[in-house]
Amino acid sequence: MENHLWKCEVTHPDKWAKKQRPVYAVEESKPKVITYVNNHLKDGYIVGKVSQLGKRLGMNLYHS
């Protein structure tokens, strides 16, 4: 399977919490990205919008 570059917005249920920077991940599918990012988040934070940025062409080269 081909790997894709994904951007995940991280949010907190508390509307006054500081906005977090997005998390970037390389995975095969959207559900795998959500699982991967959820495993690496601090308590209370959740994955918001997930966007596919590009398809992997080489070691560190991506094309959108």
Side-chain angles (χ1 to χ4, degrees):
M1 289 205 126
E2 297 176 343
N3 285 332
H4 298 274
L5 179 63
W6 300 85
K7 175 183 172 184
C8 302
E9 293 180 8
V10 178
T11 60
H12 194 280
D14 180 10
K15 67 179 181 176
W16 302 109
K18 181 179 174 185
K19 185 174 180 179
Q20 296 295 311
R21 292 182 179 169
V23 175
Y24 296 91
V26 176
E27 283 290 343
E28 298 170 354
S29 64
K30 189 173 183 176
K32 287 186 178 183
V33 170
I34 294 170
T35 303
Y36 175 80
V37 174
N38 275 330
N39 288 338
H40 292 87
L41 288 178
K42 293 181 181 178
D43 291 337
Y45 289 94
I46 55 173
V47 176
K49 182 179 173 187
V50 178
S51 305
Q52 183 180 357
L53 298 180
K55 183 170 102 172
R56 189 174 205 168
L57 299 176
M59 274 305 261
N60 294 317
L61 183 65
Y62 296 86
H63 183 267
S64 58

